[in-house]
Protein backbone atom coordinates (compact mmCIF):
# COMPACT_ATOMS: atom_id res chain seq x y z
CA UNK A 1 0.00 0.00 0.00
CA UNK A 2 1.15 3.56 -0.62
CA UNK A 3 1.61 5.84 2.34
CA UNK A 4 -1.64 7.55 3.34
CA UNK A 5 -1.44 10.68 5.49
CA UNK A 6 -4.10 12.93 6.98
CA UNK A 7 -1.87 16.01 6.59
CA UNK A 8 -0.54 17.79 3.54
CA UNK A 9 3.11 18.68 3.10
CA UNK A 10 4.04 22.27 2.36
CA UNK A 11 7.45 21.61 0.84
CA UNK A 12 9.29 18.86 -1.00
CA UNK A 13 11.93 16.88 0.89
CA UNK A 14 14.48 16.12 -1.82
CA UNK A 15 16.50 13.96 0.53
CA UNK A 16 13.83 11.28 0.13
CA UNK A 17 14.38 10.94 -3.63
CA UNK A 18 13.44 12.57 -6.91
CA UNK A 19 9.94 14.03 -6.54
CA UNK A 20 7.47 13.12 -9.25
CA UNK A 21 3.90 14.43 -9.57
CA UNK A 22 1.65 11.44 -10.22
CA UNK A 23 -1.96 10.40 -10.62
CA UNK A 24 -2.79 7.61 -8.18
CA UNK A 25 -4.90 5.09 -10.12
CA UNK A 26 -4.80 2.48 -7.35
CA UNK A 27 -2.64 1.72 -4.31
CA UNK A 28 -0.06 0.08 -6.59
CA UNK A 29 -0.53 2.01 -9.85
CA UNK A 30 0.63 5.52 -10.62
CA UNK A 31 0.58 7.53 -13.83
CA UNK A 32 3.24 10.14 -14.56
CA UNK A 33 5.31 11.84 -17.22
CA UNK A 34 9.07 12.22 -17.21
CA UNK A 35 11.91 12.96 -19.65
CA UNK A 36 13.03 9.74 -21.30
CA UNK A 37 16.57 10.40 -20.03
CA UNK A 38 15.26 10.07 -16.46
CA UNK A 39 13.59 6.76 -17.29
CA UNK A 40 16.85 5.55 -18.85
CA UNK A 41 18.55 5.97 -15.47
CA UNK A 42 15.92 3.67 -13.91
CA UNK A 43 15.70 1.07 -16.70
CA UNK A 44 19.05 0.18 -18.32
CA UNK A 45 19.46 -0.74 -21.97
CA UNK A 46 17.66 -4.13 -22.21
CA UNK A 47 20.33 -5.47 -24.57
CA UNK A 48 22.72 -5.60 -21.62
CA UNK A 49 20.49 -8.14 -19.90
CA UNK A 50 20.96 -10.58 -22.80
CA UNK A 51 24.73 -10.09 -23.03
CA UNK A 52 26.08 -12.85 -20.81
CA UNK A 53 29.65 -11.60 -21.13
CA UNK A 54 28.67 -8.11 -19.97
CA UNK A 55 26.71 -9.35 -16.95
CA UNK A 56 29.88 -10.12 -15.01
CA UNK A 57 30.83 -6.42 -15.08
CA UNK A 58 27.52 -5.18 -13.71
CA UNK A 59 26.94 -4.22 -10.10
CA UNK A 60 24.88 -6.66 -8.00
CA UNK A 61 21.79 -4.44 -8.35
CA UNK A 62 22.24 -4.14 -12.11
CA UNK A 63 22.72 -7.90 -12.41
CA UNK A 64 19.56 -8.53 -10.40
CA UNK A 65 17.68 -6.10 -12.65
CA UNK A 66 18.97 -7.93 -15.74
CA UNK A 67 17.95 -11.35 -14.40
CA UNK A 68 14.49 -10.08 -13.44
CA UNK A 69 14.09 -8.39 -16.82
CA UNK A 70 14.87 -11.69 -18.54
CA UNK A 71 12.16 -13.43 -16.51
CA UNK A 72 9.53 -10.86 -17.48
CA UNK A 73 10.34 -9.82 -21.06
CA UNK A 74 10.77 -11.56 -24.41
CA UNK A 75 14.13 -11.85 -26.16
CA UNK A 76 15.55 -9.11 -28.37
CA UNK A 77 18.42 -10.97 -30.02
CA UNK A 78 17.49 -12.90 -33.17
CA UNK A 79 13.80 -11.89 -32.97
CA UNK A 80 11.52 -9.41 -34.74
CA UNK A 81 11.78 -7.19 -31.68
CA UNK A 82 15.26 -6.02 -32.77
CA UNK A 83 14.02 -5.04 -36.24
CA UNK A 84 10.91 -3.41 -34.78
CA UNK A 85 13.07 -1.26 -32.49
CA UNK A 86 15.04 0.10 -35.47
CA UNK A 87 11.83 1.03 -37.26
CA UNK A 88 10.52 2.56 -34.04
CA UNK A 89 13.70 4.68 -33.74
CA UNK A 90 13.07 6.11 -37.22
CA UNK A 91 9.47 6.83 -36.21
CA UNK A 92 10.57 8.68 -33.05
CA UNK A 93 13.10 10.71 -35.05
CA UNK A 94 10.31 11.86 -37.35
CA UNK A 95 8.27 12.82 -34.28
CA UNK A 96 11.15 14.82 -32.76
CA UNK A 97 11.80 16.63 -36.05
CA UNK A 98 8.12 17.54 -36.37
CA UNK A 99 7.71 15.67 -39.63
CA UNK A 100 4.65 13.85 -38.37
CA UNK A 101 3.06 16.98 -36.92
CA UNK A 102 0.33 15.59 -34.62
CA UNK A 103 -0.14 12.38 -36.61
CA UNK A 104 1.65 10.10 -34.18
CA UNK A 105 1.15 8.25 -30.93
CA UNK A 106 3.35 6.27 -28.55
CA UNK A 107 1.87 4.32 -25.65
CA UNK A 108 2.98 4.91 -22.05
CA UNK A 109 5.79 2.70 -20.82
CA UNK A 110 4.76 0.30 -18.06
CA UNK A 111 7.45 0.48 -15.38
CA UNK A 112 7.65 -2.03 -12.54
CA UNK A 113 9.53 -1.05 -9.40
CA UNK A 114 9.18 -3.95 -6.91
CA UNK A 115 9.65 -1.80 -3.81
CA UNK A 116 6.90 0.43 -2.44
CA UNK A 117 7.33 4.08 -3.34
CA UNK A 118 6.91 6.73 -0.68
CA UNK A 119 4.11 9.19 -1.53
CA UNK A 120 2.88 12.41 0.04
CA UNK A 121 0.05 14.84 -0.71
CA UNK A 122 0.22 18.55 -1.24
CA UNK A 123 -2.48 21.20 -1.69
CA UNK A 124 -2.36 23.07 -5.01
CA UNK A 125 -4.57 25.68 -6.71
CA UNK A 126 -6.20 22.82 -8.64
CA UNK A 127 -6.78 20.46 -5.73
CA UNK A 128 -4.58 17.80 -4.15
CA UNK A 129 -1.34 16.78 -5.81
CA UNK A 130 0.18 13.37 -5.12
CA UNK A 131 3.97 13.36 -5.06
CA UNK A 132 5.93 10.10 -5.32
CA UNK A 133 9.58 9.99 -4.37
CA UNK A 134 11.72 7.92 -6.71
CA UNK A 135 14.74 6.64 -4.74
CA UNK A 136 18.01 7.92 -6.14
CA UNK A 137 19.08 4.33 -6.76
CA UNK A 138 15.69 3.24 -8.16
CA UNK A 139 15.98 0.48 -10.73
CA UNK A 140 13.12 -1.21 -12.51
CA UNK A 141 11.87 -3.36 -15.37
CA UNK A 142 9.48 -2.53 -18.20
CA UNK A 143 6.47 -4.82 -18.45
CA UNK A 144 5.27 -3.16 -21.65
CA UNK A 145 6.67 -0.83 -24.34
CA UNK A 146 10.23 -2.15 -24.01
CA UNK A 147 10.58 -1.93 -27.80
CA UNK A 148 9.89 1.80 -27.57
CA UNK A 149 12.46 2.09 -24.79
CA UNK A 150 15.08 0.25 -26.87
CA UNK A 151 14.26 2.52 -29.82
CA UNK A 152 15.22 5.53 -27.71
CA UNK A 153 18.58 3.91 -26.93
CA UNK A 154 19.17 3.23 -30.64
CA UNK A 155 18.20 6.80 -31.45
CA UNK A 156 20.49 8.28 -28.82
CA UNK A 157 23.43 6.11 -29.89
CA UNK A 158 23.33 7.41 -33.45
CA UNK A 159 21.37 10.64 -33.09
CA UNK A 160 23.18 12.52 -35.88
CA UNK A 161 22.33 9.92 -38.54
CA UNK A 162 18.67 10.28 -37.59
CA UNK A 163 18.87 14.07 -37.81
CA UNK A 164 18.28 14.71 -34.10
CA UNK A 165 20.44 15.42 -31.04
CA UNK A 166 21.05 13.36 -27.93
CA UNK A 167 19.60 16.24 -25.92
CA UNK A 168 16.33 15.95 -27.84
CA UNK A 169 16.17 12.23 -27.16
CA UNK A 170 16.91 12.60 -23.45
CA UNK A 171 14.43 15.47 -23.07
CA UNK A 172 11.56 13.75 -24.89
CA UNK A 173 8.61 13.61 -22.50
CA UNK A 174 7.13 10.13 -22.17
CA UNK A 175 4.12 8.78 -20.35
CA UNK A 176 4.97 6.22 -17.67
CA UNK A 177 2.69 3.89 -15.78
CA UNK A 178 4.44 3.00 -12.53
CA UNK A 179 3.54 -0.31 -10.90
CA UNK A 180 5.07 -0.63 -7.44
CA UNK A 181 4.77 -2.87 -4.41
CA UNK A 182 3.77 -5.92 -6.52
CA UNK A 183 5.65 -9.23 -6.85
CA UNK A 184 7.17 -11.02 -9.83
CA UNK A 185 4.11 -13.22 -10.44
CA UNK A 186 1.91 -10.12 -10.76
CA UNK A 187 4.45 -8.43 -13.01
CA UNK A 188 4.60 -11.44 -15.35
CA UNK A 189 0.81 -11.57 -15.46
CA UNK A 190 0.64 -7.88 -16.43
CA UNK A 191 3.21 -8.53 -19.20
CA UNK A 192 1.04 -11.43 -20.42
CA UNK A 193 -2.19 -9.43 -20.35
CA UNK A 194 -0.67 -6.37 -22.01
CA UNK A 195 0.97 -8.32 -24.83
CA UNK A 196 -1.47 -11.11 -25.62
CA UNK A 197 -3.68 -9.00 -27.89
CA UNK A 198 -0.79 -7.19 -29.56
CA UNK A 199 2.25 -8.91 -31.03
CA UNK A 200 1.58 -12.29 -29.50
CA UNK A 201 4.60 -13.63 -27.58
CA UNK A 202 5.91 -17.04 -28.55
CA UNK A 203 4.23 -20.00 -26.88
CA UNK A 204 6.90 -20.39 -24.23
CA UNK A 205 6.73 -16.71 -23.21
CA UNK A 206 2.92 -16.71 -23.24
CA UNK A 207 2.76 -19.83 -21.07
CA UNK A 208 5.40 -18.63 -18.60
CA UNK A 209 3.69 -15.28 -18.14
CA UNK A 210 0.10 -16.49 -17.72
CA UNK A 211 0.08 -17.35 -14.03
CA UNK A 212 -3.75 -17.52 -14.04
CA UNK A 213 -3.48 -20.82 -15.95
CA UNK A 214 -3.53 -23.61 -13.35
CA UNK A 215 -1.13 -25.91 -15.26
CA UNK A 216 1.30 -23.05 -15.76
CA UNK A 217 0.96 -22.11 -12.11
CA UNK A 218 1.93 -25.62 -10.99
CA UNK A 219 4.79 -25.73 -13.49
CA UNK A 220 6.21 -22.43 -12.27
CA UNK A 221 6.06 -23.71 -8.69
CA UNK A 222 7.99 -26.82 -9.70
CA UNK A 223 10.73 -24.66 -11.22
CA UNK A 224 11.44 -23.34 -7.72
CA UNK A 225 10.73 -26.43 -5.63
CA UNK A 226 12.24 -29.33 -7.59
CA UNK A 227 15.96 -29.89 -7.05
CA UNK A 228 18.25 -31.32 -9.74
CA UNK A 229 21.96 -31.92 -10.20
CA UNK A 230 23.51 -28.46 -10.55
CA UNK A 231 24.78 -27.54 -14.05
CA UNK A 232 28.26 -27.29 -12.51
CA UNK A 233 27.98 -30.93 -11.42
CA UNK A 234 28.45 -29.98 -7.78
CA UNK A 235 25.49 -30.21 -5.41
CA UNK A 236 21.87 -29.44 -6.24
CA UNK A 237 20.15 -26.51 -7.90
CA UNK A 238 16.50 -25.54 -8.55
CA UNK A 239 14.94 -26.98 -11.69
CA UNK A 240 14.70 -23.49 -13.19
CA UNK A 241 18.49 -23.58 -13.70
CA UNK A 242 18.08 -26.21 -16.45
CA UNK A 243 14.76 -25.11 -17.98
CA UNK A 244 14.58 -22.46 -20.69
CA UNK A 245 11.69 -20.18 -19.82
CA UNK A 246 11.91 -17.93 -22.88
CA UNK A 247 12.78 -20.16 -25.82
CA UNK A 248 10.27 -22.29 -27.67
CA UNK A 249 12.97 -24.64 -28.95
CA UNK A 250 16.47 -25.33 -27.70
CA UNK A 251 19.50 -25.10 -29.96
CA UNK A 252 22.16 -27.79 -29.94
CA UNK A 253 24.52 -25.46 -28.10
CA UNK A 254 22.07 -24.61 -25.31
CA UNK A 255 22.88 -26.09 -21.91
CA UNK A 256 19.31 -26.34 -20.61
CA UNK A 257 17.60 -29.73 -20.41
CA UNK A 258 14.18 -28.73 -21.70
CA UNK A 259 11.85 -25.83 -22.44
CA UNK A 260 9.10 -24.61 -20.16
CA UNK A 261 6.40 -25.74 -22.59
CA UNK A 262 7.82 -29.30 -22.58
CA UNK A 263 7.86 -29.35 -18.78
CA UNK A 264 4.31 -28.02 -18.75
CA UNK A 265 3.28 -30.88 -21.06
CA UNK A 266 4.66 -33.34 -18.50
CA UNK A 267 2.58 -31.61 -15.80
CA UNK A 268 -0.60 -31.73 -17.89
CA UNK A 269 -0.29 -35.44 -18.71
CA UNK A 270 0.62 -36.19 -15.09
CA UNK A 271 -2.64 -34.46 -14.20
CA UNK A 272 -4.89 -36.05 -16.84
CA UNK A 273 -3.07 -39.16 -18.07
CA UNK A 274 -3.31 -40.00 -21.77
CA UNK A 275 -6.27 -37.62 -22.10
CA UNK A 276 -3.76 -34.86 -21.46
CA UNK A 277 -2.10 -35.32 -24.87
CA UNK A 278 -4.92 -33.29 -26.44
CA UNK A 279 -4.72 -30.61 -23.73
CA UNK A 280 -1.02 -29.71 -23.86
CA UNK A 281 -1.36 -26.81 -26.29
CA UNK A 282 -4.25 -25.03 -24.59
CA UNK A 283 -5.11 -23.36 -21.28
CA UNK A 284 -6.04 -25.54 -18.31
CA UNK A 285 -8.65 -23.92 -16.09
CA UNK A 286 -9.79 -26.90 -13.99
CA UNK A 287 -8.06 -29.79 -12.27
CA UNK A 288 -9.26 -33.41 -12.29
CA UNK A 289 -11.82 -34.45 -9.72
CA UNK A 290 -10.25 -35.14 -6.35
CA UNK A 291 -7.17 -33.08 -7.15
CA UNK A 292 -6.20 -29.69 -5.69
CA UNK A 293 -3.36 -27.43 -6.70
CA UNK A 294 -1.39 -28.17 -3.52
CA UNK A 295 -1.86 -31.93 -3.82
CA UNK A 296 -0.96 -31.88 -7.51
CA UNK A 297 2.18 -29.83 -6.92
CA UNK A 298 3.36 -32.09 -4.09
CA UNK A 299 2.75 -35.41 -5.85
CA UNK A 300 4.08 -34.33 -9.24
CA UNK A 301 7.12 -32.81 -7.54
CA UNK A 302 7.95 -36.14 -5.83
CA UNK A 303 7.76 -38.14 -9.06
CA UNK A 304 9.49 -35.50 -11.18
CA UNK A 305 12.42 -35.25 -8.78
CA UNK A 306 12.88 -39.02 -8.92
CA UNK A 307 12.77 -39.09 -12.73
CA UNK A 308 15.19 -36.17 -13.09
CA UNK A 309 17.54 -37.69 -10.53
CA UNK A 310 17.51 -41.21 -11.96
CA UNK A 311 17.97 -40.06 -15.54
CA UNK A 312 19.96 -36.86 -15.04
CA UNK A 313 22.70 -38.03 -17.38
CA UNK A 314 20.17 -38.65 -20.16
CA UNK A 315 18.75 -35.14 -19.73
CA UNK A 316 22.24 -33.64 -19.74
CA UNK A 317 22.92 -35.47 -23.03
CA UNK A 318 19.60 -34.37 -24.56
CA UNK A 319 21.17 -33.94 -28.03
CA UNK A 320 21.95 -37.67 -28.04
CA UNK A 321 18.89 -38.97 -26.20
CA UNK A 322 15.12 -38.84 -26.63
CA UNK A 323 14.12 -38.22 -23.02
CA UNK A 324 13.79 -34.43 -23.22
CA UNK A 325 11.72 -34.35 -26.42
CA UNK A 326 8.16 -33.02 -25.95
CA UNK A 327 6.50 -36.31 -26.92
CA UNK A 328 8.64 -38.42 -24.56
CA UNK A 329 8.25 -35.98 -21.66
CA UNK A 330 4.50 -35.93 -22.18
CA UNK A 331 4.46 -39.74 -22.32
CA UNK A 332 6.47 -39.90 -19.10
CA UNK A 333 3.84 -37.67 -17.51
CA UNK A 334 1.05 -39.93 -18.74
CA UNK A 335 2.73 -42.98 -17.17
CA UNK A 336 3.46 -41.00 -14.00
CA UNK A 337 -0.28 -40.20 -13.81
CA UNK A 338 -0.79 -43.79 -12.68
CA UNK A 339 1.16 -42.96 -9.50
CA UNK A 340 -1.06 -39.99 -8.64
CA UNK A 341 -3.75 -40.18 -5.95
CA UNK A 342 -6.45 -38.76 -8.27
CA UNK A 343 -5.86 -41.45 -10.93
CA UNK A 344 -9.25 -43.12 -11.60
CA UNK A 345 -8.12 -45.56 -14.31
CA UNK A 346 -7.63 -48.53 -11.99
CA UNK A 347 -4.15 -49.01 -13.46
CA UNK A 348 -2.19 -47.91 -10.41
CA UNK A 349 1.54 -47.68 -9.72
CA UNK A 350 3.42 -46.64 -6.64
CA UNK A 351 6.30 -44.19 -7.21
CA UNK A 352 8.74 -47.07 -6.57
CA UNK A 353 6.96 -49.27 -9.12
CA UNK A 354 7.02 -46.43 -11.62
CA UNK A 355 10.78 -46.03 -11.32
CA UNK A 356 11.28 -49.79 -11.59
CA UNK A 357 9.16 -49.82 -14.74
CA UNK A 358 11.36 -47.13 -16.34
CA UNK A 359 14.70 -48.36 -15.02
CA UNK A 360 15.79 -50.34 -18.10
CA UNK A 361 14.56 -47.98 -20.84
CA UNK A 362 17.30 -47.16 -23.37
CA UNK A 363 17.16 -43.38 -23.82
CA UNK A 364 19.81 -43.11 -26.55
CA UNK A 365 18.58 -41.44 -29.72
CA UNK A 366 18.92 -44.66 -31.70
CA UNK A 367 16.45 -46.02 -34.28
CA UNK A 368 17.14 -49.52 -32.92
CA UNK A 369 15.03 -48.51 -29.92
CA UNK A 370 12.84 -45.60 -30.99
CA UNK A 371 12.14 -45.93 -34.73
CA UNK A 372 8.42 -45.39 -35.33
CA UNK A 373 7.79 -44.57 -31.68
CA UNK A 374 9.42 -41.25 -30.77
CA UNK A 375 10.84 -40.47 -34.22
CA UNK A 376 12.18 -41.91 -37.43
CA UNK A 377 15.41 -42.49 -39.28
CA UNK A 378 16.11 -40.00 -42.07
CA UNK A 379 17.45 -40.69 -45.55
CA UNK A 380 20.89 -39.56 -44.38
CA UNK A 381 20.93 -42.14 -41.61
CA UNK A 382 20.38 -39.74 -38.71
CA UNK A 383 17.48 -40.14 -36.28
CA UNK A 384 14.89 -37.37 -36.20
CA UNK A 385 12.45 -36.81 -33.34
CA UNK A 386 9.77 -36.20 -35.92
CA UNK A 387 6.18 -35.70 -34.86
CA UNK A 388 4.80 -33.95 -31.83
CA UNK A 389 2.95 -34.93 -28.70
CA UNK A 390 -0.34 -35.67 -30.43
CA UNK A 391 1.40 -37.84 -33.07
CA UNK A 392 3.79 -39.78 -30.84
CA UNK A 393 2.48 -39.38 -27.30
CA UNK A 394 0.28 -42.48 -27.16
CA UNK A 395 2.84 -44.72 -28.90
CA UNK A 396 5.58 -43.56 -26.56
CA UNK A 397 3.39 -43.97 -23.47
CA UNK A 398 2.70 -47.56 -24.52
CA UNK A 399 6.42 -48.13 -25.02
CA UNK A 400 7.24 -46.80 -21.58
CA UNK A 401 4.41 -48.21 -19.51
CA UNK A 402 2.47 -51.03 -21.23
CA UNK A 403 4.19 -54.46 -20.97
CA UNK A 404 1.62 -55.83 -23.40
CA UNK A 405 2.80 -53.53 -26.19
CA UNK A 406 5.61 -54.74 -28.50
CA UNK A 407 7.07 -51.23 -28.21
CA UNK A 408 7.62 -51.87 -24.49
CA UNK A 409 10.28 -54.43 -25.36
CA UNK A 410 11.66 -52.42 -28.31
CA UNK A 411 12.67 -49.39 -26.21
CA UNK A 412 14.46 -51.69 -23.76
CA UNK A 413 16.00 -54.45 -25.86
CA UNK A 414 15.92 -53.10 -29.40
CA UNK A 415 13.52 -53.53 -32.27
CA UNK A 416 13.91 -56.84 -34.18
CA UNK A 417 15.22 -56.48 -37.74
CA UNK A 418 12.48 -56.35 -40.35
CA UNK A 419 9.80 -55.23 -37.90
Amino acid sequence: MTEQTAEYVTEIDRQRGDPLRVLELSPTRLLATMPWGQLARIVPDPRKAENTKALRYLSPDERQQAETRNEVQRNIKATKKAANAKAYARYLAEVLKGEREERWATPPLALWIPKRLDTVRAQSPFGVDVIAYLPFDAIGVLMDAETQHLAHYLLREDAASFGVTTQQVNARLVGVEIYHDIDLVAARQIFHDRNLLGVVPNKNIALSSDSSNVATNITLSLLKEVQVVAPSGEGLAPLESVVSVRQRQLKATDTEWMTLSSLRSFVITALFGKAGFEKTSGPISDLPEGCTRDVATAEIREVLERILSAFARAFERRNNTVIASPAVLAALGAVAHRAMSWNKSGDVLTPDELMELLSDVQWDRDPAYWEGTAGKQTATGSFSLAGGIKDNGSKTAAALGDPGSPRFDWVRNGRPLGV
Side-chain angles (χ1 to χ4, degrees):
M1 295 285 289
T2 53
E3 179 181 293
Q4 302 291 334
T5 61
E7 298 179 355
Y8 299 105
V9 300
T10 56
E11 60 183 27
I12 300 300
D13 183 1
R14 294 186 177 274
Q15 293 183 351
R16 298 168 70 176
D18 288 326
L20 188 67
R21 181 183 285 112
V22 299
L23 293 176
E24 193 173 33
L25 304 180
S26 81
T28 60
R29 289 163 169 77
L30 310 173
L31 186 62
T33 60
M34 66 177 69
W36 176 79
Q38 182 179 7
L39 181 64
R41 294 199 301 270
I42 301 170
V43 184
D45 185 336
R47 291 172 295 181
K48 292 181 179 179
E50 295 181 18
N51 186 339
T52 54
K53 292 182 180 179
L55 288 178
R56 71 183 71 174
Y57 301 109
L58 299 180
S59 69
D61 286 344
E62 290 173 327
R63 195 155 48 246
Q64 178 63 48
Q65 188 276 342
E67 292 171 357
T68 303
R69 178 265 168 199
N70 288 342
E71 289 194 67
V72 173
Q73 274 288 349
R74 58 165 74 96
N75 280 350
I76 296 171
K77 190 179 297 184
T79 68
K80 290 183 178 180
K81 189 170 183 176
N84 291 345
K86 293 178 182 178
Y88 213 145
R90 292 192 293 270
Y91 181 90
L92 293 175
E94 293 171 2
V95 171
L96 289 173
K97 290 185 289 187
E99 295 175 358
R100 289 187 167 268
E101 300 178 348
E102 295 302 316
R103 295 174 289 106
W104 62 273
T106 56
L109 297 96
L111 170 65
W112 171 42
I113 298 178
K115 295 180 180 178
R116 185 184 71 177
L117 296 183
D118 194 9
T119 62
V120 296
R121 301 174 188 277
Q123 290 283 10
S124 78
F126 305 102
V128 177
D129 281 342
V130 179
I131 308 296
Y133 288 104
L134 287 174
F136 298 120
D137 60 349
I139 193 164
V141 170
L142 290 178
M143 300 179 294
D144 198 18
E146 188 184 64
T147 303
Q148 180 188 163
H149 190 52
L150 175 58
H152 282 85
Y153 275 106
L154 298 176
L155 191 57
R156 188 172 68 176
E157 287 174 357
D158 199 12
S161 70
F162 286 98
V164 297
T165 67
T166 56
Q167 183 178 359
Q168 283 179 293
V169 179
N170 285 327
R172 179 175 182 262
L173 203 63
V174 294
V176 181
E177 300 170 31
I178 302 174
Y179 296 77
H180 67 121
D181 200 26
I182 63 174
D183 61 17
L184 177 61
V185 172
R188 291 169 70 90
Q189 186 68 51
I190 292 169
F191 168 85
H192 175 274
D193 296 348
R194 293 288 292 266
N195 285 274
L196 190 60
L197 299 181
V199 178
V200 179
N202 71 44
K203 180 181 177 181
N204 227 38
I205 290 291
L207 291 176
S208 69
S209 301
D210 188 10
S211 57
S212 63
N213 186 311
V214 65
T216 300
N217 211 307
I218 293 171
T219 307
L220 293 176
S221 295
L222 294 173
L223 288 181
K224 304 286 186 183
E225 298 177 14
V226 171
Q227 297 291 303
V228 299
V229 176
S232 65
E234 299 180 0
L236 298 177
L239 178 58
E240 62 184 348
S241 65
V242 293
V243 174
S244 176
V245 173
R246 293 180 293 149
Q247 292 173 262
R248 186 169 184 177
Q249 290 184 323
L250 294 177
K251 302 186 292 293
T253 55
D254 289 329
T255 58
E256 291 89 352
W257 293 1
M258 67 191 77
T259 65
L260 182 74
S261 60
S262 295
L263 177 62
R264 180 178 178 273
S265 296
F266 173 92
V267 170
I268 290 174
T269 52
L271 287 169
F272 296 97
K274 294 178 183 179
F277 293 139
E278 296 296 323
K279 301 176 182 289
T280 55
S281 60
I284 304 297
S285 56
D286 297 309
L287 292 171
E289 183 181 354
C291 176
T292 67
R293 182 189 180 284
D294 289 344
V295 169
T297 303
E299 294 191 23
I300 294 175
R301 180 181 66 232
E302 178 188 355
V303 169
L304 182 59
E305 279 188 332
R306 296 184 66 164
I307 290 173
L308 295 175
S309 175
F311 308 119
R313 183 58 181 153
F315 282 103
E316 291 171 354
R317 297 174 52 248
R318 64 172 178 81
N319 289 321
N320 299 308
T321 63
V322 302
I323 194 168
S325 69
V328 175
L329 272 175
L332 276 168
V335 179
H337 171 75
R338 293 160 55 188
M340 304 298 161
S341 62
W342 58 89
N343 168 30
K344 306 297 183 185
S345 69
D347 190 6
V348 177
L349 292 171
T350 67
D352 286 341
E353 290 170 338
L354 170 66
M355 298 311 299
E356 178 64 25
L357 187 67
L358 300 174
S359 63
D360 53 356
V361 173
Q362 300 297 318
W363 301 110
D364 286 343
R365 193 177 295 193
D366 187 333
Y369 303 110
W370 296 98
E371 171 70 26
T373 299
K376 63 181 181 181
Q377 191 167 10
T378 67
T380 61
S382 63
F383 186 70
S384 169
L385 294 173
I389 293 173
K390 294 179 182 178
D391 294 326
N392 294 338
S394 293
K395 293 184 293 184
T396 305
L400 295 176
D402 181 5
S405 168
R407 297 177 192 274
F408 184 89
D409 186 61
W410 295 348
V411 302
R412 289 164 173 82
N413 301 309
R415 186 168 182 160
L417 292 176
V419 177

